Amino acid sequence: MLGQTTIGILYPGEMGSAFAKLLGGNGFGVVTTLQGRSLRTERLCHDAGLCVLDSVGQVLECSDIVISFVSPGAALQVAGNVALLAKGGSRPFLYVDGNSISPATAVKISEALRLAQVDFVDASIHGLASRLRQGGFLYLSGARAEELSDRFGSIMRIKVVGDAPGQASALKMVLSGLSKGLIGLFSETMLFAREMGLLDQAMEISNEFYPGVMEVVKRMLPTYPQHAPRRSEELQQLEETMLLNGVFPRVVGAVREVIASLAEVDWPKNTDYQRWGLAEMIEQIYREHIQQAARRPGGRRNRRQRRRPAQRVRIFHQTL
């Protein structure tokens, strides 16, 4: 179509494919590549109806905007590879990082792309992939953030938070830290309620007195069997960023430990957890981390102590 904006997606995982569907449904051309990707990515790409090209280089050559949707640990490497390919390319494009990265990583990506004469926008999506249109929010920062907001304004809610790389990523860290903290606190306190034989009562009273909190938990907790490892990684980045900026992450560090423990649960395979009730999920966690821990040598108390490094405890006391 004449004048159509073409968007390159690297790569169509859960969030990337959901965002690609929104783009395709609003008149954008969307392309990607499956070079070096998994069968799951191939299936998501097919379901999203994306045009598949043979290589990343071909995606760059036909795209006006390239958006990265990868794990936080891979974001800088993917951007570096794009920067190398762009040096030999002839078509200018805007690179957007949509990953849950630290502000420091966003700045490194911006610098790598600047050397390749590629403009960069730092982006973060707040919301579940399954509810982008209804409940998602796209935050942008960078010199061309306003321009990107104008282009994408028809697909979801957007807010430009600044003109410097890293600002959108920092805001995502704050917001996601709050939601992960809520899940961590809920899981731990409800495990205690289950141990005391009070889970049903605790759930009933929480629904009555904290309906807003419980609404968030009901939406978020069923996603943790699949996403707890990645969210633990994101919390690690938040801890490091807070330390670099002079804020000691006492609560965030503890939440990361809880979320990491959710990643260790032996969740049933091929299960739709959205159909599970909260009590059912807590029961699964309870069987894994309370009952099994009690049977291990050393019991629960020693297990908890092993997960808290002595150095961290000393630093904690120094801040009091």
Side-chain angles (χ1 to χ4, degrees):
M1 181 184 299
L2 185 63
Q4 182 186 53
T5 298
T6 301
I7 313 295
I9 300 292
L10 304 175
Y11 292 92
E14 184 179 13
M15 183 61 76
S17 61
F19 196 77
K21 285 182 180 179
L22 285 181
L23 291 168
N26 283 269
F28 292 94
V30 188
V31 300
T32 190
T33 180
L34 294 174
Q35 184 181 31
R37 312 314 294 179
S38 67
L39 290 175
R40 177 177 179 270
T41 300
E42 182 177 351
R43 176 178 57 79
L44 289 169
C45 175
H46 179 269
D47 292 344
L50 305 186
C51 175
V52 179
L53 304 179
D54 291 337
S55 66
V56 175
Q58 289 186 9
V59 171
L60 303 186
E61 282 299 317
C62 71
S63 297
D64 302 291
I65 301 169
V66 175
I67 309 177
S68 170
F69 287 109
V70 296
S71 65
L76 184 56
Q77 179 181 355
V78 169
N81 183 43
V82 167
L84 287 174
L85 292 171
K87 289 181 179 179
S90 58
R91 180 187 177 100
F93 59 89
L94 173 64
Y95 187 87
V96 181
D97 188 286
N99 306 301
S100 296
I101 57 176
S102 69
T105 300
V107 171
K108 290 178 181 178
I109 289 174
S110 176
E111 180 61 19
L113 293 167
R114 184 187 65 80
L115 295 175
Q117 297 184 327
V118 175
D119 291 339
F120 172 67
V121 168
D122 178 25
S124 62
I125 295 177
H126 186 64
L128 300 177
S130 59
R131 301 181 72 252
L132 283 186
R133 167 68 81 177
Q134 306 93 328
F137 223 117
L138 178 64
Y139 301 103
L140 304 172
S141 68
R144 295 180 63 181
E146 290 285 357
E147 173 192 335
L148 190 63
S149 176
D150 291 341
R151 289 204 189 193
F152 284 176
S154 63
I155 67 172
M156 64 187 300
R157 293 177 296 175
I158 299 177
K159 183 175 180 62
V160 175
V161 300
D163 57 8
Q167 290 177 299
S169 292
L171 182 59
K172 172 65 180 292
M173 279 190 157
V174 172
L175 298 174
S176 64
L178 286 172
S179 63
K180 294 179 180 71
L182 180 58
I183 295 300
L185 181 60
F186 175 85
S187 300
E188 192 164 85
T189 53
M190 290 303 161
L191 283 176
F192 174 60
R194 170 63 178 82
E195 177 74 355
M196 301 302 293
L198 296 169
L199 181 58
D200 290 343
Q201 294 93 323
M203 289 284 190
E204 180 181 354
I205 294 171
S206 295
N207 279 313
E208 180 179 356
F209 282 91
Y210 311 117
V213 170
M214 295 300 286
E215 180 183 350
V216 174
V217 172
K218 289 173 184 175
R219 187 172 69 245
M220 294 295 298
L221 187 57
T223 69
Y224 273 71
Q226 180 180 354
H227 296 300
R230 177 173 60 82
R231 287 171 180 160
S232 178
E233 180 184 353
E234 291 169 358
L235 284 167
Q236 180 69 49
Q237 290 209 17
L238 175 56
E239 281 187 272
E240 295 170 357
T241 302
M242 292 174 71
L243 283 170
L244 286 172
N245 288 275
V247 179
F248 188 77
R250 291 173 288 184
V251 175
V252 170
V255 171
R256 177 185 51 77
E257 292 182 1
V258 175
I259 301 305
S261 73
L262 296 184
E264 297 170 0
V265 173
D266 186 17
W267 298 99
K269 308 301 182 187
N270 302 317
T271 301
D272 182 3
Y273 298 104
Q274 297 294 334
R275 297 181 179 273
W276 282 33
L278 293 181
E280 191 175 2
M281 301 203 72
I282 293 299
E283 186 65 33
Q284 183 73 20
I285 300 167
Y286 176 83
R287 288 197 296 266
E288 181 78 16
H289 287 299
I290 300 296
Q291 291 184 332
Q292 290 189 26
R295 301 189 192 104
R296 297 182 186 124
R300 301 173 199 169
R301 179 176 177 83
N302 287 342
R303 184 172 184 266
R304 183 180 67 249
Q305 289 176 340
R306 286 197 299 271
R307 290 178 60 201
R308 174 173 290 181
Q311 180 181 7
R312 181 175 164 191
V313 175
R314 287 197 297 272
I315 293 174
F316 174 81
H317 287 302
Q318 290 171 6
T319 65
L320 297 179

